[in-house]
Protein backbone atom coordinates (compact mmCIF):
# COMPACT_ATOMS: atom_id res chain seq x y z
CA UNK A 1 0.00 0.00 0.00
CA UNK A 2 1.02 3.57 -0.30
CA UNK A 3 -0.15 6.93 0.85
CA UNK A 4 0.73 9.16 -2.08
CA UNK A 5 3.28 8.97 -4.91
CA UNK A 6 5.52 11.63 -3.37
CA UNK A 7 5.43 9.99 0.05
CA UNK A 8 6.23 6.63 -1.51
CA UNK A 9 9.21 8.08 -3.31
CA UNK A 10 10.40 9.70 -0.08
CA UNK A 11 10.12 6.35 1.72
CA UNK A 12 12.14 4.69 -1.03
CA UNK A 13 14.79 7.42 -0.92
CA UNK A 14 15.07 7.15 2.87
CA UNK A 15 15.65 3.39 2.55
CA UNK A 16 19.13 4.05 1.12
CA UNK A 17 20.28 5.05 4.62
CA UNK A 18 22.21 2.28 6.37
CA UNK A 19 20.10 0.36 8.89
CA UNK A 20 16.86 1.83 7.56
CA UNK A 21 14.36 -0.64 6.16
CA UNK A 22 10.99 0.02 4.58
CA UNK A 23 9.12 0.20 7.90
CA UNK A 24 11.58 2.61 9.50
CA UNK A 25 11.65 4.72 6.34
CA UNK A 26 7.85 4.97 6.49
CA UNK A 27 8.00 6.05 10.10
CA UNK A 28 10.65 8.66 9.24
CA UNK A 29 8.69 10.01 6.26
CA UNK A 30 5.45 10.30 8.25
CA UNK A 31 7.27 11.86 11.19
CA UNK A 32 8.82 14.53 8.98
CA UNK A 33 5.54 15.22 7.17
CA UNK A 34 3.53 15.45 10.38
CA UNK A 35 5.92 16.99 12.86
CA UNK A 36 9.02 18.48 11.31
CA UNK A 37 8.80 19.78 7.76
CA UNK A 38 11.37 22.46 8.53
CA UNK A 39 13.81 19.78 9.67
CA UNK A 40 13.09 17.81 6.50
CA UNK A 41 13.85 20.79 4.28
CA UNK A 42 16.99 21.55 6.28
CA UNK A 43 18.08 17.92 5.85
CA UNK A 44 17.50 18.19 2.09
CA UNK A 45 19.66 21.30 1.95
CA UNK A 46 22.51 19.78 3.98
CA UNK A 47 22.41 16.61 1.90
CA UNK A 48 22.65 18.59 -1.31
CA UNK A 49 25.51 20.69 0.03
CA UNK A 50 27.47 17.78 1.46
CA UNK A 51 27.02 15.39 -1.50
CA UNK A 52 28.05 18.14 -3.91
CA UNK A 53 30.90 19.78 -2.10
CA UNK A 54 32.57 17.36 0.30
CA UNK A 55 35.63 15.76 -1.25
CA UNK A 56 38.78 14.37 0.28
CA UNK A 57 41.68 16.14 1.93
CA UNK A 58 44.65 16.00 -0.44
CA UNK A 59 47.00 15.24 2.46
CA UNK A 60 45.14 12.70 4.57
CA UNK A 61 42.18 11.64 2.38
CA UNK A 62 39.65 12.37 5.13
CA UNK A 63 36.31 13.93 4.08
CA UNK A 64 36.68 17.66 3.64
CA UNK A 65 35.15 20.37 1.46
CA UNK A 66 38.49 22.17 1.38
CA UNK A 67 41.64 20.87 -0.33
CA UNK A 68 43.36 20.47 3.04
CA UNK A 69 41.21 19.46 6.02
CA UNK A 70 40.85 21.17 9.39
CA UNK A 71 43.11 18.67 11.14
CA UNK A 72 45.95 18.87 8.60
CA UNK A 73 45.75 22.69 8.70
CA UNK A 74 45.79 22.83 12.49
CA UNK A 75 49.32 23.93 13.46
CA UNK A 76 48.71 23.22 17.16
CA UNK A 77 48.62 19.50 16.28
CA UNK A 78 51.71 17.40 15.93
CA UNK A 79 52.07 17.20 12.15
CA UNK A 80 55.00 14.78 12.41
CA UNK A 81 52.87 12.07 14.06
CA UNK A 82 50.52 10.32 11.65
CA UNK A 83 47.81 7.81 12.59
CA UNK A 84 46.85 5.52 9.70
CA UNK A 85 43.22 4.31 9.84
CA UNK A 86 40.96 2.40 7.49
CA UNK A 87 38.01 4.78 7.41
CA UNK A 88 36.91 8.29 8.39
CA UNK A 89 34.70 6.65 11.04
CA UNK A 90 37.83 5.15 12.60
CA UNK A 91 39.52 8.56 12.58
CA UNK A 92 36.40 9.95 14.25
CA UNK A 93 36.57 7.27 16.95
CA UNK A 94 40.25 8.02 17.67
CA UNK A 95 39.51 11.74 17.65
CA UNK A 96 36.61 11.35 20.06
CA UNK A 97 38.82 9.38 22.48
CA UNK A 98 40.62 12.71 22.91
CA UNK A 99 44.07 11.24 23.47
CA UNK A 100 45.65 11.73 20.06
CA UNK A 101 47.04 15.11 19.00
CA UNK A 102 48.75 14.13 15.74
CA UNK A 103 47.19 13.96 12.28
CA UNK A 104 45.57 11.16 10.29
CA UNK A 105 45.92 9.27 7.08
CA UNK A 106 42.78 7.51 5.90
CA UNK A 107 43.21 4.46 3.66
CA UNK A 108 39.49 4.27 2.78
CA UNK A 109 39.58 0.49 3.08
CA UNK A 110 42.10 -2.31 3.54
CA UNK A 111 44.08 -4.52 1.17
CA UNK A 112 41.66 -6.93 -0.43
CA UNK A 113 43.00 -8.26 -3.73
CA UNK A 114 39.83 -10.26 -4.43
CA UNK A 115 37.82 -7.02 -4.43
CA UNK A 116 40.44 -5.28 -6.56
CA UNK A 117 41.66 -3.15 -3.67
CA UNK A 118 45.43 -2.85 -3.80
CA UNK A 119 47.98 -0.30 -2.54
CA UNK A 120 46.92 2.11 -5.32
CA UNK A 121 43.34 2.34 -4.07
CA UNK A 122 44.53 2.88 -0.50
CA UNK A 123 46.74 5.80 -1.52
CA UNK A 124 49.81 4.22 0.03
CA UNK A 125 52.06 5.99 -2.48
CA UNK A 126 50.68 9.29 -1.17
CA UNK A 127 51.64 8.22 2.36
CA UNK A 128 55.09 7.09 1.22
CA UNK A 129 55.50 10.42 -0.60
CA UNK A 130 54.72 12.33 2.59
CA UNK A 131 57.18 10.24 4.57
CA UNK A 132 59.85 10.70 1.85
CA UNK A 133 59.65 14.47 2.36
CA UNK A 134 61.09 13.82 5.81
CA UNK A 135 58.59 15.79 7.94
CA UNK A 136 57.07 12.71 9.57
CA UNK A 137 58.69 11.15 12.64
CA UNK A 138 56.25 8.37 13.49
CA UNK A 139 53.50 6.47 11.74
CA UNK A 140 51.01 4.76 14.07
CA UNK A 141 49.21 2.06 12.12
CA UNK A 142 45.69 1.78 13.58
CA UNK A 143 44.07 -0.50 11.00
CA UNK A 144 41.52 -2.95 12.42
CA UNK A 145 42.86 -6.13 14.07
CA UNK A 146 41.38 -8.30 11.32
CA UNK A 147 43.25 -10.46 8.83
CA UNK A 148 42.97 -7.75 6.16
CA UNK A 149 43.81 -4.97 8.61
CA UNK A 150 46.94 -6.83 9.77
CA UNK A 151 48.00 -7.50 6.18
CA UNK A 152 47.54 -3.83 5.38
CA UNK A 153 49.57 -2.86 8.46
CA UNK A 154 52.43 -5.15 7.41
CA UNK A 155 52.33 -3.83 3.84
CA UNK A 156 52.60 -0.26 5.12
CA UNK A 157 55.49 -1.17 7.42
CA UNK A 158 57.29 -2.83 4.48
CA UNK A 159 56.71 0.17 2.21
CA UNK A 160 58.27 2.50 4.78
CA UNK A 161 61.22 0.30 5.75
CA UNK A 162 63.74 2.35 3.75
CA UNK A 163 62.88 5.64 5.48
CA UNK A 164 64.03 7.00 8.82
CA UNK A 165 60.55 6.87 10.30
CA UNK A 166 59.22 4.92 13.28
CA UNK A 167 56.33 2.67 12.28
CA UNK A 168 54.27 1.47 15.23
CA UNK A 169 51.10 -0.54 15.67
CA UNK A 170 48.41 0.22 18.26
CA UNK A 171 48.27 -2.27 21.19
CA UNK A 172 45.74 -5.08 21.16
CA UNK A 173 44.57 -6.56 24.44
CA UNK A 174 41.72 -6.82 26.90
CA UNK A 175 39.45 -3.74 26.48
CA UNK A 176 39.22 -1.41 29.47
CA UNK A 177 36.13 -2.42 31.45
CA UNK A 178 36.20 -5.83 29.77
CA UNK A 179 36.32 -9.13 31.63
CA UNK A 180 38.92 -11.83 31.07
CA UNK A 181 36.24 -14.49 31.30
CA UNK A 182 34.49 -13.17 28.21
CA UNK A 183 37.58 -12.18 26.21
CA UNK A 184 38.38 -14.32 23.16
CA UNK A 185 41.58 -16.31 22.91
CA UNK A 186 43.18 -14.18 20.18
CA UNK A 187 42.77 -11.04 22.23
CA UNK A 188 44.10 -12.76 25.37
CA UNK A 189 47.18 -13.97 23.45
CA UNK A 190 47.78 -10.40 22.27
CA UNK A 191 47.29 -9.15 25.83
CA UNK A 192 49.90 -11.61 27.17
CA UNK A 193 52.50 -11.08 24.45
CA UNK A 194 52.06 -7.30 24.74
CA UNK A 195 52.38 -7.27 28.56
CA UNK A 196 54.20 -4.45 30.30
CA UNK A 197 56.31 -4.43 33.47
CA UNK A 198 54.61 -2.73 36.43
CA UNK A 199 57.00 -0.19 37.91
CA UNK B 1 35.21 16.19 17.18
CA UNK B 2 34.17 16.84 13.70
CA UNK B 3 35.31 16.00 10.23
CA UNK B 4 34.36 19.09 8.28
CA UNK B 5 31.77 21.84 8.76
CA UNK B 6 29.51 20.51 5.99
CA UNK B 7 29.69 16.95 7.31
CA UNK B 8 28.91 18.20 10.82
CA UNK B 9 25.89 20.07 9.57
CA UNK B 10 24.72 16.98 7.68
CA UNK B 11 25.07 14.88 10.86
CA UNK B 12 23.05 17.44 12.78
CA UNK B 13 20.36 17.54 10.08
CA UNK B 14 20.13 13.73 10.01
CA UNK B 15 19.61 13.70 13.79
CA UNK B 16 16.09 15.13 13.31
CA UNK B 17 14.99 11.73 12.02
CA UNK B 18 13.13 9.68 14.64
CA UNK B 19 15.30 7.05 16.30
CA UNK B 20 18.50 8.55 14.90
CA UNK B 21 21.00 9.77 17.47
CA UNK B 22 24.36 11.44 16.91
CA UNK B 23 26.27 8.20 16.39
CA UNK B 24 23.80 6.77 13.87
CA UNK B 25 23.64 10.11 12.07
CA UNK B 26 27.46 10.06 11.77
CA UNK B 27 27.34 6.56 10.34
CA UNK B 28 24.64 7.59 7.86
CA UNK B 29 26.51 10.72 6.76
CA UNK B 30 29.79 8.82 6.25
CA UNK B 31 28.00 6.01 4.44
CA UNK B 32 26.36 8.44 2.01
CA UNK B 33 29.61 10.35 1.44
CA UNK B 34 31.65 7.21 0.90
CA UNK B 35 29.27 4.86 -0.84
CA UNK B 36 26.13 6.48 -2.14
CA UNK B 37 26.28 10.13 -3.12
CA UNK B 38 23.67 9.60 -5.81
CA UNK B 39 21.29 8.14 -3.22
CA UNK B 40 21.99 11.13 -0.98
CA UNK B 41 21.15 13.61 -3.73
CA UNK B 42 18.04 11.63 -4.60
CA UNK B 43 17.00 11.70 -0.95
CA UNK B 44 17.52 15.48 -0.87
CA UNK B 45 15.30 15.88 -3.94
CA UNK B 46 12.51 13.67 -2.58
CA UNK B 47 12.64 15.44 0.78
CA UNK B 48 12.31 18.82 -0.89
CA UNK B 49 9.43 17.64 -3.07
CA UNK B 50 7.55 15.91 -0.27
CA UNK B 51 7.99 18.63 2.36
CA UNK B 52 6.88 21.29 -0.12
CA UNK B 53 4.03 19.60 -1.87
CA UNK B 54 2.45 16.96 0.34
CA UNK B 55 -0.60 18.32 2.14
CA UNK B 56 -3.73 16.64 3.45
CA UNK B 57 -6.65 15.11 1.61
CA UNK B 58 -9.65 17.42 2.01
CA UNK B 59 -11.93 14.43 2.55
CA UNK B 60 -10.00 12.13 4.87
CA UNK B 61 -7.04 14.27 6.04
CA UNK B 62 -4.51 11.62 5.01
CA UNK B 63 -1.22 12.85 3.48
CA UNK B 64 -1.65 13.62 -0.18
CA UNK B 65 -0.21 16.06 -2.69
CA UNK B 66 -3.57 16.27 -4.43
CA UNK B 67 -6.73 17.80 -2.92
CA UNK B 68 -8.40 14.38 -2.79
CA UNK B 69 -6.20 11.35 -2.07
CA UNK B 70 -5.85 8.13 -4.09
CA UNK B 71 -8.03 6.14 -1.72
CA UNK B 72 -10.91 8.65 -1.63
CA UNK B 73 -10.79 8.91 -5.44
CA UNK B 74 -10.79 5.14 -5.92
CA UNK B 75 -14.32 4.22 -7.01
CA UNK B 76 -13.64 0.51 -6.64
CA UNK B 77 -13.47 1.01 -2.88
CA UNK B 78 -16.52 1.11 -0.66
CA UNK B 79 -16.92 4.85 -0.13
CA UNK B 80 -19.78 4.33 2.34
CA UNK B 81 -17.55 2.48 4.83
CA UNK B 82 -15.18 4.78 6.73
CA UNK B 83 -12.43 3.65 9.08
CA UNK B 84 -11.44 6.34 11.60
CA UNK B 85 -7.80 6.15 12.70
CA UNK B 86 -5.52 8.35 14.77
CA UNK B 87 -2.64 8.71 12.34
CA UNK B 88 -1.60 8.06 8.72
CA UNK B 89 0.69 5.30 10.06
CA UNK B 90 -2.39 3.57 11.51
CA UNK B 91 -4.16 3.86 8.13
CA UNK B 92 -1.06 2.38 6.52
CA UNK B 93 -1.13 -0.56 8.96
CA UNK B 94 -4.80 -1.26 8.22
CA UNK B 95 -4.16 -0.88 4.50
CA UNK B 96 -1.21 -3.28 4.62
CA UNK B 97 -3.33 -5.89 6.41
CA UNK B 98 -5.19 -6.06 3.09
CA UNK B 99 -8.61 -6.81 4.59
CA UNK B 100 -10.24 -3.41 4.44
CA UNK B 101 -11.74 -2.05 1.22
CA UNK B 102 -13.46 1.07 2.51
CA UNK B 103 -11.97 4.52 2.96
CA UNK B 104 -10.31 6.28 5.90
CA UNK B 105 -10.66 9.30 8.07
CA UNK B 106 -7.49 10.36 9.86
CA UNK B 107 -7.88 12.31 13.11
CA UNK B 108 -4.18 13.24 13.29
CA UNK B 109 -4.16 12.60 17.03
CA UNK B 110 -6.59 11.86 19.83
CA UNK B 111 -8.56 13.99 22.27
CA UNK B 112 -6.11 15.39 24.77
CA UNK B 113 -7.47 18.54 26.43
CA UNK B 114 -4.26 19.13 28.39
CA UNK B 115 -2.32 19.44 25.12
CA UNK B 116 -5.02 21.67 23.65
CA UNK B 117 -6.25 18.96 21.28
CA UNK B 118 -10.03 19.05 21.11
CA UNK B 119 -12.61 17.96 18.52
CA UNK B 120 -11.66 20.97 16.33
CA UNK B 121 -8.07 19.82 15.91
CA UNK B 122 -9.20 16.29 15.08
CA UNK B 123 -11.51 17.54 12.31
CA UNK B 124 -14.52 15.80 13.82
CA UNK B 125 -16.85 18.43 12.34
CA UNK B 126 -15.52 17.44 8.90
CA UNK B 127 -16.41 13.81 9.67
CA UNK B 128 -19.86 14.78 10.98
CA UNK B 129 -20.38 16.90 7.85
CA UNK B 130 -19.61 13.89 5.64
CA UNK B 131 -21.98 11.69 7.61
CA UNK B 132 -24.69 14.41 7.47
CA UNK B 133 -24.58 14.23 3.66
CA UNK B 134 -25.95 10.71 4.03
CA UNK B 135 -23.47 8.81 1.83
CA UNK B 136 -21.84 6.94 4.69
CA UNK B 137 -23.39 3.73 6.02
CA UNK B 138 -20.86 2.67 8.65
CA UNK B 139 -18.07 4.28 10.63
CA UNK B 140 -15.52 1.84 12.08
CA UNK B 141 -13.67 3.58 14.90
CA UNK B 142 -10.14 2.17 14.97
CA UNK B 143 -8.49 4.55 17.41
CA UNK B 144 -5.88 2.97 19.66
CA UNK B 145 -7.10 1.02 22.70
CA UNK B 146 -5.60 3.59 25.09
CA UNK B 147 -7.46 5.85 27.50
CA UNK B 148 -7.28 8.74 25.03
CA UNK B 149 -8.17 6.53 22.07
CA UNK B 150 -11.23 5.15 23.88
CA UNK B 151 -12.32 8.66 24.92
CA UNK B 152 -11.98 9.79 21.30
CA UNK B 153 -13.98 6.77 20.12
CA UNK B 154 -16.79 7.57 22.55
CA UNK B 155 -16.77 11.22 21.58
CA UNK B 156 -17.13 10.28 17.91
CA UNK B 157 -19.96 7.85 18.67
CA UNK B 158 -21.75 10.59 20.64
CA UNK B 159 -21.29 13.13 17.84
CA UNK B 160 -22.88 10.76 15.32
CA UNK B 161 -25.75 9.56 17.51
CA UNK B 162 -28.33 11.71 15.69
CA UNK B 163 -27.50 10.28 12.25
CA UNK B 164 -28.64 7.06 10.64
CA UNK B 165 -25.13 5.63 10.54
CA UNK B 166 -23.74 2.52 12.19
CA UNK B 167 -20.78 3.36 14.43
CA UNK B 168 -18.68 0.32 15.33
CA UNK B 169 -15.45 -0.22 17.24
CA UNK B 170 -12.75 -2.71 16.17
CA UNK B 171 -12.47 -5.79 18.40
CA UNK B 172 -9.85 -5.97 21.12
CA UNK B 173 -8.55 -9.31 22.27
CA UNK B 174 -5.62 -11.69 22.21
CA UNK B 175 -3.47 -10.96 19.13
CA UNK B 176 -3.27 -13.73 16.53
CA UNK B 177 -0.11 -15.73 17.27
CA UNK B 178 -0.07 -14.32 20.82
CA UNK B 179 -0.06 -16.48 23.93
CA UNK B 180 -2.58 -16.22 26.74
CA UNK B 181 0.21 -16.64 29.28
CA UNK B 182 1.84 -13.39 28.20
CA UNK B 183 -1.31 -11.38 27.50
CA UNK B 184 -2.12 -8.57 29.94
CA UNK B 185 -5.27 -8.58 32.06
CA UNK B 186 -7.00 -5.71 30.25
CA UNK B 187 -6.64 -7.48 26.90
CA UNK B 188 -7.86 -10.78 28.37
CA UNK B 189 -10.93 -9.05 29.85
CA UNK B 190 -11.67 -7.57 26.40
CA UNK B 191 -11.17 -11.00 24.83
CA UNK B 192 -13.65 -12.61 27.24
CA UNK B 193 -16.30 -9.92 27.04
CA UNK B 194 -16.00 -9.87 23.24
CA UNK B 195 -16.25 -13.69 22.92
CA UNK B 196 -18.17 -15.18 19.99
CA UNK B 197 -20.20 -18.37 19.78
CA UNK B 198 -18.51 -21.12 17.76
CA UNK B 199 -20.95 -22.41 15.18
Amino acid sequence: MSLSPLTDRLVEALSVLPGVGKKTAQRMALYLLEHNRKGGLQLAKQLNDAMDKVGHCTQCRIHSEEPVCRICRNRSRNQSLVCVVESPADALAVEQSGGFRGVYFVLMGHLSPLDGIGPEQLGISLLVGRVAKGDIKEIIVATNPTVEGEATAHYIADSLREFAVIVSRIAHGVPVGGELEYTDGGTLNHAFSGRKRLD
Side-chain angles (χ1 to χ4, degrees), chain A:
Chain A
M1 178 262 184
S2 55
L3 290 166
S4 79
L6 279 183
T7 321
D8 289 352
R9 266 178 270 157
L10 176 57
V11 169
E12 208 179 291
L14 281 164
S15 309
V16 305
L17 295 171
V20 175
K22 181 110 192 277
K23 201 88 188 173
T24 311
Q26 265 177 10
R27 196 162 59 92
M28 287 174 167
L30 290 175
Y31 168 81
L32 290 177
L33 284 171
E34 279 168 55
H35 303 297
N36 201 347
R37 296 208 177 206
K38 224 175 114 189
L41 288 172
Q42 181 62 13
L43 174 54
K45 186 187 168 297
Q46 297 306 342
L47 275 168
N48 263 328
D49 278 8
M51 298 300 124
D52 262 2
K53 295 178 195 150
V54 174
H56 293 281
C57 171
T58 50
Q59 279 191 34
C60 73
R61 315 213 318 160
I62 219 166
H63 291 301
S64 169
E65 57 266 30
E66 287 165 279
V68 178
C69 75
R70 273 185 195 176
I71 297 172
C72 291
R73 274 198 320 254
N74 186 344
R75 289 297 132 191
S76 75
R77 297 185 73 119
N78 185 351
Q79 300 281 337
S80 68
L81 180 65
V82 177
C83 173
V84 177
V85 289
E86 289 185 24
S87 72
D90 294 345
L92 209 56
V94 175
E95 196 64 12
Q96 282 167 348
S97 76
F100 180 70
R101 294 298 298 164
V103 296
Y104 297 92
F105 185 85
V106 181
L107 301 168
M108 291 287 173
H110 46 233
L111 287 180
S112 180
L114 288 179
D115 302 315
I117 299 173
E120 291 288 289
Q121 283 70 35
L122 302 183
I124 289 177
S125 56
L126 181 63
L127 181 65
V128 173
R130 281 180 62 186
V131 170
K133 275 197 227 155
D135 300 335
I136 297 176
K137 290 204 187 102
E138 181 171 354
I139 299 271
I140 303 173
V141 184
T143 52
N144 291 323
T146 56
V147 175
E148 296 89 350
E150 292 294 345
T152 310
H154 283 110
Y155 185 89
I156 291 170
D158 277 350
S159 308
L160 299 173
R161 204 169 296 278
E162 55 181 303
F163 302 102
V165 64
I166 301 164
V167 180
S168 58
R169 181 96 176 93
I170 51 166
H172 299 312
V174 182
V176 177
E179 292 181 44
L180 253 69
E181 185 181 353
Y182 302 111
T183 306
D184 66 290
T187 304
L188 276 179
N189 284 338
H190 268 293
F192 275 88
S193 66
R195 69 188 178 278
K196 279 185 188 170
R197 180 185 289 261
L198 285 174
D199 293 316

